Amino acid sequence: MTQHASPPRDSTDKVPLSGAAPAWRGLMAHADVRTLSLLGVLAVLIVIGGITKPDEFLDTRNLQLVLTQASVIGVVTVGMTFVIISGGIDLSVGAIVALASVWATTVATQEYGFAGILFTAVIVGVGCGLVNGVLIAYGAMVPFIATLAMLASARGLSLQITDGKTQIVAIPSVLDLGERDAYVLGVPPLVMVFAVVTIIGWLVLNRTTFGRRTVAVGGNPEAARLAGIDVRRQRLYLYLLSGLCCGIAAFLLIILSGSGQNTNGNLYELDAIAAAIIGGTLLTGGRGTIVGSVLGVLIFTTITNIFALNNLQTDVQQIAKGAIIVAAVLVQRRNASTT
């Protein structure tokens, strides 16, 4: 009986070649190149700000302002990142922030003090997320349509509640959180909340079954279903999470502005989606990072600050943001084609 000899084992399988790659290549292979690139872009922007307006941009108060402004949209972006990774989209986040902020600052709500405002903002956000989740997960509605309907409804309801007027907050314990006396080691409370939300989001996405299921649903819903994942329930939870983040962001915005307005959260949905995209989250789902999304938020907030300090027009700023988004999408497509 003829026996076929097994092919000889390649010696490179076990023994490294004498001309092995240097150590720095090994480090780069394990590093997140996109994160390093985003850090590089952020560093360049800081240098530009330091050169154009050194006394103003590098001032501690201005840097605290940048981080504070990034905190509100940053919390929203964390929730949006989860939704997009799952293959969904949420166009209603800005409107939910507006509705939660005005509902939490009505005269009746303010009678319950700090706890009443916080509870109302969070419960309104979660409630809106629940409606989105039920329509999408169990009503089989396309996320674009369902969240667009929520956008219109929430904006209309917030306008009806305020009658187009600004609702001033009269609770000292809420307003005091926006004062410099409340800073801890120079860090504003809003920034600390943003940091906590970011850390929790990172842990949930990267270290829990919930995070793995989110990625699986976004990568291939049918395969996830066959693997035993309840896809509909997972999607419901994700929109609840997005609504929760909107409620927290609304409370932060109340602290920051000292009021509730129906115009709050304007275009937050576009900023959150853009930040997630340039951070490496695929619009088709299945991949994304919390760190990348947060860096995207910081980049956009820094750009806005630099343009404001240099008295540049808003339209130029929007063009710059658009160019960054296009570049990020092109990089995504290039990376996808090479894998």
Side-chain angles (χ1 to χ4, degrees), residues 253-333:
L253 194 56
I254 291 171
I255 296 173
L256 186 62
S257 64
S259 64
Q261 305 176 53
N262 65 286
T263 56
N264 281 343
N266 188 35
L267 298 181
Y268 272 20
E269 56 277 359
L270 300 183
D271 288 342
I273 293 171
I277 290 173
I278 71 170
T281 302
L282 292 180
L283 277 174
T284 53
R287 191 181 75 191
T289 67
I290 297 297
V291 173
S293 296
V294 169
L295 289 175
V297 171
L298 293 176
I299 287 172
F300 279 147
T301 308
T302 304
I303 290 174
T304 301
N305 184 258
I306 292 174
F307 274 66
L309 291 178
N310 287 276
N311 296 319
L312 298 176
Q313 296 183 358
T314 306
D315 53 355
V316 181
Q317 172 187 325
Q318 298 300 329
I319 293 173
K321 286 185 177 181
I324 293 175
I325 295 171
V326 171
V329 173
L330 290 176
V331 170
Q332 280 189 1
R333 294 188 61 179

Side-chain angles (χ1 to χ4, degrees), residues 47-285:
V47 171
I48 293 174
I51 293 174
T52 56
K53 291 288 183 179
D55 295 333
E56 299 175 38
F57 180 78
L58 298 177
D59 183 72
T60 302
R61 290 176 178 267
N62 183 64
L63 296 178
Q64 290 171 336
L65 175 63
V66 171
L67 293 175
T68 301
Q69 292 175 337
S71 298
V72 180
I73 185 62
V75 171
V76 174
T77 302
V78 170
M80 180 70 79
T81 301
F82 276 89
V83 171
I84 297 178
I85 290 175
S86 72
I89 198 74
D90 192 346
L91 300 179
S92 63
V93 290
I96 294 175
V97 169
L99 179 59
S101 69
V102 300
W103 207 323
T105 55
T106 60
V107 175
T109 303
Q110 291 193 48
E111 291 179 356
Y112 294 93
F114 183 99
I117 292 177
L118 174 59
F119 175 80
T120 303
V122 170
I123 204 66
V124 170
V126 172
C128 291
L130 176 63
V131 174
N132 282 337
V134 170
L135 291 176
I136 294 167
Y138 295 96
M141 288 189 68
V142 177
F144 182 91
I145 300 300
T147 57
L148 186 62
M150 176 59 72
L151 183 156
S153 301
R155 283 290 177 195
L157 185 55
S158 62
L159 179 61
Q160 186 178 50
I161 291 175
T162 62
D163 195 24
K165 301 175 183 178
T166 300
Q167 298 178 162
I168 305 299
V169 176
I171 308 299
S173 56
V174 174
L175 298 175
D176 289 345
L177 290 176
E179 300 296 330
R180 295 189 63 83
D181 292 341
Y183 291 10
V184 179
L185 299 177
V187 180
L190 275 69
V191 177
M192 290 188 287
V193 172
F194 177 33
V196 170
V197 171
T198 298
I199 293 171
I200 293 175
W202 185 90
L203 291 173
V204 170
L205 181 61
N206 296 281
R207 294 290 185 269
T208 67
T209 303
F210 182 87
R212 290 190 291 272
R213 288 175 177 172
T214 300
V215 175
V217 169
N220 191 326
E222 182 60 20
R225 185 187 67 81
L226 294 175
I229 298 175
D230 191 331
V231 175
R232 292 190 300 178
R233 185 173 61 186
Q234 185 70 18
R235 285 175 174 161
L236 173 63
Y237 289 162
L238 289 165
Y239 282 95
L240 283 173
L241 176 61
S242 180
L244 172 63
C245 289
C246 289
I248 296 173
F251 183 71
L252 298 182
L253 194 56
I254 291 171
I255 296 173
L256 186 62
S257 64
S259 64
Q261 305 176 53
N262 65 286
T263 56
N264 281 343
N266 188 35
L267 298 181
Y268 272 20
E269 56 277 359
L270 300 183
D271 288 342
I273 293 171
I277 290 173
I278 71 170
T281 302
L282 292 180
L283 277 174
T284 53

